[in-house]
Amino acid sequence: MARKRAPIELPTVDDLFTSQSERDNATLEGVTEIQLALIDPFPGHPFHVKDDEEMERLAESIAENGVLVPLTVRASGAERYGLVSGHRRKRAAEIAGLESVPCIVRSMGDDEAVIAMVDSNLQRETILPSERAFAYSMRLEAMKHQGQRTDLTSAQVAQKSSGRWSRDILAEELGVSKDKVQRFIRLTRLIPELLALVDEGRMKMLPAVEVSHLSEEEQAWLFDAMEAQACTPSHAQTVKMKRYAKDGSLTSALVRSIMEEEKPNQVEQFKIPRKSIARFFRPSATKDEIESRIVRALELLEQAEARRGWQGGA
């Protein structure tokens, strides 16, 4: 007799919008109902809260079941609270028409709150490059503040008291490379128009990082050139712009000129299967040798056809 399978437990909508640590904490700490009107968003919150289909689903779930995982807040003044985690749940509760939501009130300083806010949001499945960039930057600054010692000089502020750099510790805690952390943080120096292109996938990471070294005015020149030519710069082009900018010779006209250069991936390629021409070359012939021989053969053919045309017309 076949054994009856246990039913598969599907995740709730709240599961999809919360981290495991938030759900664990909700079972361990006291929960208080707080009026939505008394809860302020986190200052400079780097993660977007969109009224999209997912938000609609969450709002419908909250309207039916309430907020299952409490928001995390901290006291921010007389009868006011600062939201640390749960921005999407708060927005969904507003859409659902709730007046209050369950909250866990924690006592934490500014830097501790930043770290908690970033960590709770970095567990999302989909994060835009701009969100990750500002989140990494905010968390790094908070870590620097926590690691400062009064006997450190201003040049050493970025270093933890243990002698390790904050960015190294951040990379280790996030499970990514130090270079990746640094590249994302560089994106915070892009003008909004270029950063939006990175989020849309129209501008790649490496060129964007090089562009971040340009001034805002120089970046604006690049954006105008991109709009005019309907294209994005290659990594090589941005490296060239960065080099000219470093010696002070980059101009708007030079940016346009660099952008007009033909990129390798824009050159039309014509390929011939090697087996079709193998009998004309020795097996050890290199790609460059084959290309040179083909071009020379075509030049000779062109000359022969030109002579026949001249003789026929004489």
Side-chain angles (χ1 to χ4, degrees):
M1 186 175 179
R3 297 179 63 183
K4 198 172 184 179
R5 291 186 179 181
I8 298 175
E9 293 187 7
L10 297 176
T12 66
V13 176
D14 256 3
D15 288 337
L16 299 175
F17 285 83
T18 58
S19 65
Q20 185 60 50
S21 61
E22 288 178 302
R23 295 192 290 273
D24 292 341
N25 289 332
T27 63
L28 299 174
E29 303 184 55
V31 177
T32 304
E33 281 284 327
I34 297 178
Q35 297 290 316
L36 283 168
L38 300 179
I39 303 174
D40 300 314
F42 198 99
H45 190 252
F47 299 94
H48 303 312
V49 178
K50 299 179 181 179
D51 288 348
D52 52 15
E53 289 185 9
E54 288 188 344
M55 179 62 71
E56 185 178 347
R57 286 171 47 214
L58 182 58
E60 290 174 355
S61 174
I62 286 177
E64 183 177 350
N65 306 304
V67 177
L68 301 181
V69 180
L71 284 62
T72 301
V73 301
R74 62 176 182 146
S76 62
E79 296 187 4
R80 294 209 69 81
Y81 300 87
L83 184 56
V84 176
S85 67
H87 284 74
R88 288 185 293 187
R89 276 167 282 156
K90 178 178 182 288
R91 175 57 183 155
E94 293 170 345
I95 295 174
L98 273 61
E99 293 186 358
S100 63
V101 289
C103 297
I104 295 173
V105 182
R106 288 187 181 171
S107 175
M108 57 178 73
D110 292 344
D111 297 325
E112 187 181 358
V114 167
I115 292 173
M117 179 274 294
V118 170
D119 288 352
S120 67
N121 281 280
L122 283 179
Q123 299 182 51
R124 295 184 185 183
E125 288 187 10
T126 304
I127 303 177
L128 294 174
S130 64
E131 294 176 322
R132 196 178 295 276
F134 284 101
Y136 284 3
S137 180
M138 291 176 69
R139 197 183 191 288
L140 180 60
E141 286 304 312
M143 291 174 64
K144 289 178 183 179
H145 296 159
Q146 288 188 331
Q148 285 184 27
R149 294 204 322 247
T150 55
D151 60 330
L152 292 181
T153 66
S154 58
Q156 295 172 307
V157 163
Q159 206 166 12
K160 299 288 284 187
S161 58
S162 63
R164 296 179 63 201
W165 291 97
S166 298
R167 63 172 176 268
D168 296 348
I169 297 175
L170 173 60
E172 183 180 304
E173 292 180 353
L174 295 175
V176 298
S177 69
K178 294 178 288 186
D179 289 341
K180 189 171 185 178
V181 169
Q182 190 170 4
R183 284 196 296 268
F184 271 109
I185 291 177
R186 287 294 321 179
L187 297 184
T188 63
R189 304 194 180 192
L190 291 177
I191 61 176
E193 294 86 352
L194 293 179
L195 187 55
L197 295 180
V198 178
D199 279 346
E200 294 166 9
R202 294 168 55 192
M203 190 172 185
K204 301 302 182 182
M205 174 66 80
L206 290 181
V209 169
E210 298 297 336
V211 171
S212 73
H213 291 275
L214 305 182
S215 69
E216 291 188 0
E217 182 181 26
E218 291 164 343
Q219 290 184 41
W221 295 341
L222 173 59
F223 179 73
D224 289 342
M226 291 167 62
E227 289 287 286
Q229 300 177 37
C231 65
T232 56
S234 67
H235 184 225
Q237 287 173 319
T238 55
V239 168
K240 185 179 294 187
M241 292 179 205
K242 177 184 172 183
R243 185 172 66 248
Y244 282 119
K246 189 174 182 179
D247 63 25
S249 60
L250 189 65
T251 63
S252 177
L254 183 53
V255 169
R256 289 197 303 273
S257 176
I258 293 173
M259 287 297 294
E260 289 170 355
E261 296 174 354
E262 190 172 48
K263 303 181 183 67
N265 61 358
Q266 291 177 332
V267 178
E268 186 176 357
Q269 301 290 322
F270 181 78
K271 297 182 179 180
I272 303 175
R274 185 157 185 153
K275 64 181 181 180
S276 300
I277 57 175
R279 65 190 181 92
F280 299 107
F281 304 94
R282 65 181 188 278
S284 61
T286 66
K287 180 181 176 181
D288 288 341
E289 289 173 339
I290 292 173
E291 181 179 334
S292 176
R293 187 173 175 83
I294 290 174
V295 171
R296 178 57 180 158
L298 290 173
E299 288 175 345
L300 292 173
L301 176 61
E302 183 181 48
Q303 293 171 11
E305 290 177 339
R307 285 196 299 270
R308 285 199 298 269
W310 177 79
Q311 290 171 356

